[in-house]
Coordinates of all heavy atoms in Angstrom, one line a residue:
Q1 N -12.6 -11.2 -3.7 CA -12.6 -10.2 -2.6 C -11.1 -10.3 -1.9 O -10.6 -9.4 -1.6 CB -13.6 -10.7 -1.5 CG -13.6 -9.7 -0.3 CD -14.2 -8.3 -0.6 OE1 -15.1 -8.2 -1.4 NE2 -13.7 -7.4 0.2
Q2 N -10.5 -11.6 -1.8 CA -9.2 -11.6 -1.3 C -8.2 -10.9 -2.1 O -7.3 -10.3 -1.5 CB -8.9 -13.2 -1.1 CG -7.5 -13.3 -0.4 CD -7.6 -12.8 1.1 OE1 -8.5 -13.1 1.9 NE2 -6.7 -11.7 1.3
Q3 N -8.3 -10.9 -3.4 CA -7.3 -10.2 -4.2 C -7.5 -8.8 -4.0 O -6.5 -8.1 -3.9 CB -7.6 -10.5 -5.8 CG -7.1 -11.9 -6.2 CD -7.6 -12.2 -7.6 OE1 -8.8 -12.3 -7.8 NE2 -6.7 -12.4 -8.5
L4 N -8.7 -8.2 -3.9 CA -8.9 -6.7 -3.7 C -8.3 -6.5 -2.3 O -7.7 -5.5 -2.2 CB -10.3 -6.5 -3.8 CG -10.9 -6.6 -5.1 CD1 -12.4 -6.3 -5.1 CD2 -10.2 -5.6 -6.1
E5 N -8.5 -7.4 -1.3 CA -7.9 -6.9 0.1 C -6.5 -7.0 -0.1 O -5.8 -6.0 0.5 CB -8.5 -8.0 1.0 CG -9.9 -7.9 1.4 CD -10.4 -8.9 2.3 OE1 -9.5 -9.4 3.1 OE2 -11.5 -9.1 2.4
N6 N -5.9 -7.7 -0.8 CA -4.4 -7.9 -0.9 C -3.8 -6.5 -1.7 O -2.9 -6.0 -1.3 CB -3.9 -9.0 -1.7 CG -4.1 -10.4 -1.0 OD1 -4.2 -10.3 0.3 ND2 -4.1 -11.5 -1.7
V7 N -4.7 -6.1 -2.7 CA -4.2 -5.1 -3.5 C -4.3 -3.7 -2.6 O -3.4 -3.0 -2.6 CB -5.2 -4.8 -4.7 CG1 -4.9 -3.5 -5.4 CG2 -5.0 -5.8 -5.8
F8 N -5.4 -3.7 -1.7 CA -5.6 -2.4 -1.0 C -4.6 -2.5 0.1 O -4.1 -1.4 0.7 CB -6.9 -2.0 -0.6 CG -7.7 -1.5 -1.9 CD1 -8.4 -2.4 -2.7 CD2 -7.3 -0.2 -2.3 CE1 -8.9 -2.0 -3.9 CE2 -8.0 0.3 -3.4 CZ -8.7 -0.6 -4.2
N9 N -4.2 -3.6 0.7 CA -3.2 -3.8 1.9 C -1.8 -3.3 1.2 O -1.1 -2.5 1.8 CB -3.0 -5.2 2.3 CG -4.2 -5.5 3.3 OD1 -4.9 -4.6 3.9 ND2 -4.4 -6.8 3.4
E10 N -1.5 -3.6 -0.1 CA -0.4 -3.3 -0.7 C -0.3 -1.7 -0.8 O 0.7 -1.1 -0.7 CB -0.2 -4.0 -2.1 CG 1.0 -3.6 -2.8 CD 2.4 -3.8 -2.2 OE1 2.5 -4.6 -1.2 OE2 3.4 -3.3 -2.5
L11 N -1.5 -1.2 -1.2 CA -1.6 0.2 -1.5 C -1.3 1.0 -0.1 O -0.3 1.8 -0.1 CB -3.1 0.6 -1.9 CG -3.2 2.2 -2.0 CD1 -2.2 2.8 -3.1 CD2 -4.6 2.5 -2.4
E12 N -1.8 0.5 1.0 CA -1.4 1.0 2.4 C 0.0 1.0 2.6 O 0.7 1.9 3.1 CB -2.2 0.3 3.4 CG -3.8 0.7 3.4 CD -4.4 0.0 4.6 OE1 -3.7 -0.3 5.6 OE2 -5.6 -0.2 4.5
N13 N 0.8 -0.2 2.2 CA 2.2 -0.4 2.5 C 2.8 0.7 1.6 O 3.9 1.2 2.1 CB 2.6 -1.8 2.1 CG 1.9 -2.9 3.1 OD1 1.7 -2.4 4.2 ND2 1.9 -4.1 2.5
R14 N 2.5 0.8 0.4 CA 3.2 1.8 -0.5 C 3.1 3.1 0.0 O 4.0 4.0 -0.1 CB 2.7 1.6 -1.9 CG 3.0 0.4 -2.5 CD 2.3 0.1 -3.9 NE 2.7 -1.1 -4.4 CZ 3.1 -1.4 -5.6 NH1 3.4 -0.3 -6.4 NH2 3.4 -2.5 -6.1
I15 N 1.8 3.6 0.5 CA 1.6 5.0 1.0 C 2.5 5.1 2.2 O 3.1 6.3 2.4 CB 0.1 5.1 1.4 CG1 -0.7 5.2 0.0 CG2 -0.1 6.4 2.2 CD1 -2.3 5.1 0.2
E16 N 2.6 4.2 3.2 CA 3.3 4.2 4.3 C 4.9 4.4 3.9 O 5.6 5.3 4.5 CB 3.2 3.0 5.3 CG 1.8 3.1 5.9 CD 1.5 1.8 6.6 OE1 2.4 0.9 7.0 OE2 0.3 1.6 7.1
R17 N 5.3 3.8 2.9 CA 6.7 3.9 2.5 C 6.9 5.3 1.9 O 8.0 5.8 2.1 CB 7.1 2.8 1.5 CG 7.4 1.5 2.3 CD 7.8 0.4 1.4 NE 6.5 -0.3 0.9 CZ 6.3 -1.2 0.1 NH1 7.4 -1.7 -0.6 NH2 5.2 -1.6 -0.4
C18 N 6.0 5.8 1.3 CA 6.1 7.2 0.6 C 6.1 8.2 1.8 O 6.9 9.1 1.7 CB 5.0 7.5 -0.3 SG 5.1 6.8 -1.9
I19 N 5.3 8.0 2.7 CA 5.4 8.9 4.0 C 6.7 8.7 4.7 O 7.3 9.7 5.0 CB 4.1 8.6 5.0 CG1 2.9 8.9 4.3 CG2 4.2 9.2 6.3 CD1 1.6 8.4 5.0
T20 N 7.2 7.7 4.8 CA 8.5 7.3 5.6 C 9.6 8.1 4.8 O 10.5 8.6 5.4 CB 8.9 6.0 5.6 OG1 7.9 5.2 6.3 CG2 10.1 5.7 6.4
K21 N 9.5 8.1 3.4 CA 10.5 8.8 2.6 C 10.1 10.2 2.5 O 10.7 10.9 1.6 CB 10.6 8.1 1.3 CG 10.9 6.7 1.3 CD 12.4 6.5 1.0 CE 12.8 5.0 1.0 NZ 14.0 4.8 1.7
D22 N 9.1 10.7 3.2 CA 8.8 12.2 3.1 C 8.2 12.6 1.7 O 8.5 13.5 1.1 CB 9.9 13.2 3.6 CG 9.3 14.5 4.0 OD1 8.1 14.5 4.3 OD2 10.0 15.4 3.9
G23 N 7.7 11.5 1.2 CA 7.1 11.8 -0.2 C 8.0 11.6 -1.3 O 7.7 11.6 -2.5
G24 N 9.3 11.3 -1.1 CA 10.4 11.2 -2.2 C 10.2 9.8 -2.8 O 9.8 8.9 -2.3
L25 N 10.6 10.0 -4.2 CA 10.4 8.7 -4.9 C 11.9 8.3 -5.2 O 12.1 7.6 -6.3 CB 9.8 9.0 -6.2 CG 8.2 9.2 -6.0 CD1 7.4 9.6 -7.2 CD2 7.6 7.9 -5.3

């Protein structure tokens, strides 16, 4: 469960960074 929580926390971080970059990669 802890691994899954870490994975999805990381996903949120990645999404926030994409939003900050206005979707740019």
Side-chain angles (χ1 to χ4, degrees):
Q1 181 70 31
Q2 186 60 56
Q3 284 173 300
L4 292 176
E5 287 177 23
N6 293 344
V7 166
F8 286 99
N9 286 336
E10 176 63 16
L11 178 59
E12 284 182 31
N13 291 336
R14 289 168 182 242
I15 290 170
E16 287 172 14
R17 282 179 274 178
C18 282
I19 291 168
T20 301
K21 302 260 181 222
D22 199 24
L25 292 174

